[in-house]
């Protein structure tokens, strides 16, 4: 039914547009009256109304004729859109009829029955007064399309119901002198007092004078009932309207133009702020030399990787809700979780599975126990033992409810600051220290629970390993933001951004994120984006870095020398510490076992971004030298990289993972 109505609306609109080509008046307020014929469609499914006697199997709907009258007003929003309001009286009555075949006793012979036909008629008289708010859209010429609704008060709701014997015609009077079994006229039992409909429609405005101040508009509207006719029965009355609207659209005379200003010398045009910049890529050799025409050589190598497992869960300020970056699984997924699934993941992505990793290891080691220590930054709204305890309970709930660990194996405790808190002397770094102290610390009676994640996988390396982007900018209005981005085949491999001051260069460690290493031999596009304080944006044309791929299969076919790589990250150093102790000593023993006479060893020290650049560079040097000394390395490549961390130092876990030393052992395959 609705599809037929919409088709009628479209056909009527097309005929009106074709039949009248005169330009419709410009969008102006409107007032007017309207009226027309209403074709009513009753959709029902009930067998009786209230206490009215009825033998009808089911009243399934019917139809009727009605009319509508009213007034309208329109307020334009712009040249096409308008608000439209109507106040209408509408007759929505209709007739439903159902024929029932049955048998009745033969009055001439009570021992036999005869077939009979009864007709059940229900004539409903319905009317209402309502408001119709709508939104209108000028589609083309004078064609307006409307959508809205109607909320009405029911003024009349009565029914005349009869049941009449039709056949057999020669049977005579049924039960006396009258063939009518039921004849009832009354108000509809349980009649609704309010009616609500949704309405769609169209009209075509035909101006009646040259200025378009009066107009005639043929229209068609369909009202689809949302509310029923009566409570307790399925009965709705829809209406299709065909009518005319007579309207008045006044013209507002424009105000007189202001007098011309006195002749003055025009001010000079404003000087447009200048914004310029450029970016240039250079490869960084292992000895620090720069390569001007850089091409990335991506090589597949069988590699062993040892990644430390940070035993902290960080929380937002004043919150005990687990942040969304931690990977929450459902109980069924936790049961099938294996660490082998993390082979292709980076260090931080592996860390975000810490709850699932610890839960898996606890199930594999049923004698192990956990201690969860909740901490706060003890500042502002992030303070108090209640918040620290709530954080510990959040982590415990995940282990119990999701991982299925027995409550007796988990002990929780709380304290204000952590036992070894992060502290900052520079006021600008104090908020970063507070972020790191908002945490839950996980410790275990079994060292296997928090051991590093040890994986063997195909590693993809890059030569050169790092690309330096040299940056320049000139912004006379002052620089607001900057962004450096490298993409391959539409995929972002590297992105760095900042505010106010553009650094002279940024460094892309190509292999720091395994998922962001170039995958094909398509060129890598890199680009600089600048925005000044005046709102101007500059994006110089993108430049390219060449890419070559050397797979294991290609090396075997072409008999190219190959090697194995073992990469170890020491368990994270405490804040401002370079001493090797605890779990790091066991990792040192493992590294020593992997070093062969032909191996090449690279030791790189890193720090977070808390503190001065010079101090952090010295701290990373101390960490790297101490590691090389304990390993008794002679001629190893020892590097102090300071704050050049491969991790996101905007996150507390990224800064924690930056306090590390990596040891890379490359051994030729004979």
């Amino acid at each position: 039914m609705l599809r037929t109505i919409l088709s009628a609306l479209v056909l009527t609109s097309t005929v009106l547009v074709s039949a009248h080509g005169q330009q419709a008046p410009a969008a102006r307020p409107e007032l007017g009256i309207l009226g027309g014929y209403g074709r009513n469609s009753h959709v029902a499914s009930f067998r009786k109304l209230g206490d009215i006697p009825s033998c009808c199997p089911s009243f399934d709907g019917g139809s009727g004729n009605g009319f509508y009258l009213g007034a309208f007003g329109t307020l334009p929003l712009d040249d096409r859109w308008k608000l439209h309001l109507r106040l209408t009286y509408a007759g929505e009555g209709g007739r439903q009829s159902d024929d029932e075949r049955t048998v009745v006793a033969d009055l001439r012979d009570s021992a036999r029955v005869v077939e009979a036909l009864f007709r059940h008629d229900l004539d409903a008289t319905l009317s209402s007064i309502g408001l119709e708010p709508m939104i209108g859209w000028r589609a083309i010429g004078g064609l307006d399309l409307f959508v809205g609704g109607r909320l009405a008060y029911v003024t009349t709701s009565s029914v005349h119901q009869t049941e009449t014997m039709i056949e057999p015609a020669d049977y005579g009077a049924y039960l006396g002198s009258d063939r009518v079994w039921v004849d009832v006229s009354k108000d509809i039992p349980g009649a609704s007092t309010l009616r609500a409909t949704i309405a769609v429609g169209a009209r075509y405005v035909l101006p009646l004078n040259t200025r378009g101040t009066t107009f005639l508009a043929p229209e068609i509207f369909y009202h689809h009932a949302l509310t029923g006719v009566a409570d307790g029965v399925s009965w709705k009355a829809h209406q299709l309207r065909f009518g005319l609207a007579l309207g008045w659209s006044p013209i507002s005379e424009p105000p007189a133009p202001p007098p011309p200003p006195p002749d003055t010398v025009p001010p000079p045009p404003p000087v447009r702020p200048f914004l310029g910049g450029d970016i240039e890529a250079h490869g960084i050799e292992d000895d620090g030399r720069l390569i001007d025409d850089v091409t990335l050589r991506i090589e597949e190598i069988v590699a062993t990787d040892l990644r430390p497992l940070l035993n902290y869960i960080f929380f937002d300020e004043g919150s005990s809700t687990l942040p969304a970056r931690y990977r929450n699984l459902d109980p069924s997924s936790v049961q099938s979780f294996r660490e082998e699934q993390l082979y292709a993941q980076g260090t931080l992505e592996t860390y975000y599975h810490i709850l699932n990793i610890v839960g898996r290891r606890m199930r594999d080691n049923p004698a192990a126990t956990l201690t969860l220590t909740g901490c706060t930054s003890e500042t502002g709204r992030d303070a108090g033992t209640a918040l620290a305890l709530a954080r510990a309970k959040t982590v415990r709930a995940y282990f119990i409810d999701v991982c299925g660990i027995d409550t007796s194996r988990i002990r929780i405790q709380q304290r204000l600051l952590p036992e070894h808190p992060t502290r900052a002397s520079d006021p600008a770094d104090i908020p970063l220290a507070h972020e790191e102290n908002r945490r839950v610390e996980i410790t275990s009676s079994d060292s296997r629970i928090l051991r590093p994640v040890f994986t063997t996988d195909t590693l993809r390396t890059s030569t050169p390993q790092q690309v330096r982007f040299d940056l320049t900018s000139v912004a006379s209005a002052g620089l607001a933001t900057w962004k450096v981005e490298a993409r391959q085949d539409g995929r972002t491999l590297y992105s760095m951004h900042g505010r106010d001051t553009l650094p002279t260069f940024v460094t892309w460690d190509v292999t720091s994120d395994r998922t962001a290493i170039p995958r094909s031999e398509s060129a890598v596009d890199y680009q600089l984006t600048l925005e000044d304080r005046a709102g101007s944006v500059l994006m110089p044309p993108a430049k390219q870095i060449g890419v070559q791929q050397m797979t294991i299969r290609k090396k075997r076919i072409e008999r190219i020398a190959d090697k194995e790589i073992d990469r170890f990250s020491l368990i994270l150093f405490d804040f401002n510490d370079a001493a090797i102790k605890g779990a790091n000593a066991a990792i040192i023993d493992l590294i020593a076992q992997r070093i062969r006479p032909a191996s090449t060893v690279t030791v790189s020290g890193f720090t977070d971004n808390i503190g001065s650049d010079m101090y952090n560079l010295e701290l990373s040097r101390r960490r790297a030298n101490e590691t090389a000394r304990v390993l008794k390395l002679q001629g190893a490549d020892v590097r102090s990289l300071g704050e050049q961390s491969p991790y996101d130092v905007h996150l507390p876990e990224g800064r924690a993972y930056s306090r590390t030393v990596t040891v890379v052992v490359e051994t030729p395959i004979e």
Side-chain angles (χ1 to χ4, degrees), residues 281-284 294 296 464-469 506-508 510 545:
H282 302 279
I284 303 178
V294 59
L296 297 178
Q465 183 174 337
Q466 293 182 322
V467 175
R468 190 175 98 173
F469 296 111
V506 293
T507 302
W508 171 28
V510 180
I545 300 173

Side-chain angles (χ1 to χ4, degrees), residues 1-2 5-6 8-9 12-13 34-35 37-40 68 72 84-86 88 132-137 144-150 197-204 217-224 238-245:
M1 176 66 178
L2 182 57
I5 300 304
L6 293 177
L9 288 173
T12 303
S13 301
L34 50 84
Y37 165 73
R39 180 61 177 172
N40 303 324
Y68 68 99
F72 69 90
H84 188 75
L85 181 66
R86 297 181 171 205
T88 57
E132 302 178 13
M134 300 186 188
I135 186 77
W137 179 64
D144 291 329
L145 304 179
F146 294 93
V147 63
R150 184 172 190 259
T197 68
I198 57 174
V200 294
R203 72 174 187 180
Y204 198 88
E219 64 177 30
I220 177 173
F221 277 81
Y222 174 67
H223 285 257
H224 186 84
H238 313 301
Q239 187 175 63
L240 178 63
R241 298 177 178 178
F242 302 90
L244 286 173

Side-chain angles (χ1 to χ4, degrees), residues 3 13 16 40 56-57 68-69 84 117 196 220 222 235 255 294 327 337 346 368 388 416 445 483 512-513 605 655:
R3 181 179 299 175
S13 301
L16 290 172
N40 303 324
C56 179
Y68 68 99
L69 295 171
H84 188 75
L117 174 64
I220 177 173
Y222 174 67
W235 182 11
V294 59
R327 302 298 182 255
F337 174 80
L416 298 180
S445 62
K483 181 178 181 181
S512 62
D513 183 354
R655 293 191 294 276

Side-chain angles (χ1 to χ4, degrees), residues 179-360:
R179 296 172 66 88
V180 178
W181 170 243
V182 173
D183 188 350
V184 177
S185 295
K186 64 182 301 184
D187 291 338
I188 296 175
S192 300
T193 58
L194 293 178
R195 279 180 47 75
T197 68
I198 57 174
V200 294
R203 72 174 187 180
Y204 198 88
V205 177
L206 304 173
L208 298 179
N209 56 15
T210 56
R211 303 186 70 191
T213 55
T214 58
F215 63 88
L216 191 66
E219 64 177 30
I220 177 173
F221 277 81
Y222 174 67
H223 285 257
H224 186 84
L226 299 177
T227 56
V229 174
D231 297 334
V233 296
S234 176
W235 182 11
K236 292 184 178 181
H238 313 301
Q239 187 175 63
L240 178 63
R241 298 177 178 178
F242 302 90
L244 286 173
L246 178 63
W248 174 60
S249 178
I251 297 177
S252 299
E253 297 295 337
D263 294 337
T264 58
V265 178
V271 178
R272 185 176 181 180
F274 177 78
L275 178 61
D278 194 17
I279 182 172
E280 194 65 45
H282 302 279
I284 303 178
E285 293 279 18
D286 292 342
D287 58 5
R289 292 184 298 109
L290 298 182
I291 308 171
D292 291 335
D293 188 11
V294 59
T295 296
L296 297 178
R297 184 176 184 270
I298 308 301
E299 181 179 1
E300 288 184 352
I301 299 172
V302 175
T304 299
D305 196 359
L306 185 146
R307 283 168 277 176
L309 193 61
L310 178 63
N311 62 324
Y312 299 157
I313 305 295
F314 297 99
F315 287 81
D316 296 332
E317 182 179 9
S319 173
S320 61
T321 301
L322 194 66
R325 60 185 182 273
Y326 291 97
R327 302 298 182 255
N328 294 339
L329 303 179
D330 56 66
S332 61
S333 299
V334 165
Q335 293 299 320
S336 60
F337 174 80
R338 297 293 184 275
E339 291 182 29
E340 292 80 1
Q341 301 169 2
L342 305 176
Y343 283 172
Q345 305 295 330
T347 298
L348 283 185
E349 186 60 31
T350 299
Y351 160 74
Y352 290 136
H353 277 282
I354 180 173
L355 297 179
N356 306 314
I357 294 172
V358 172
R360 175 79 255 175

Side-chain angles (χ1 to χ4, degrees), residues 566-647:
D566 297 321
R567 183 187 301 273
F568 303 88
S569 294
L570 296 190
I571 301 266
L572 313 175
F573 289 88
D574 289 336
F575 178 74
N576 197 28
D577 191 8
I580 293 178
K581 53 191 174 183
N584 278 337
I587 297 176
I588 289 293
D589 293 338
L590 180 60
I591 296 174
Q593 296 173 16
R594 303 289 291 186
I595 298 177
R596 302 288 183 268
S599 299
T600 300
V601 182
T602 303
V603 181
S604 303
F606 299 90
T607 70
D608 57 26
N609 63 336
I610 298 179
S612 68
D613 296 347
M614 292 300 297
Y615 181 85
N616 285 337
L617 187 63
E618 172 61 20
L619 178 59
S620 69
R621 184 192 65 79
R622 286 163 40 207
R623 288 173 175 171
N625 287 340
E626 177 67 8
T627 302
R629 185 190 67 79
V630 175
L631 283 171
K632 301 178 182 179
L633 298 177
Q634 299 294 330
D637 184 4
V638 180
R639 304 175 181 179
S640 55
L641 300 179
E643 299 179 11
Q644 298 182 39
S645 168
Y647 307 113

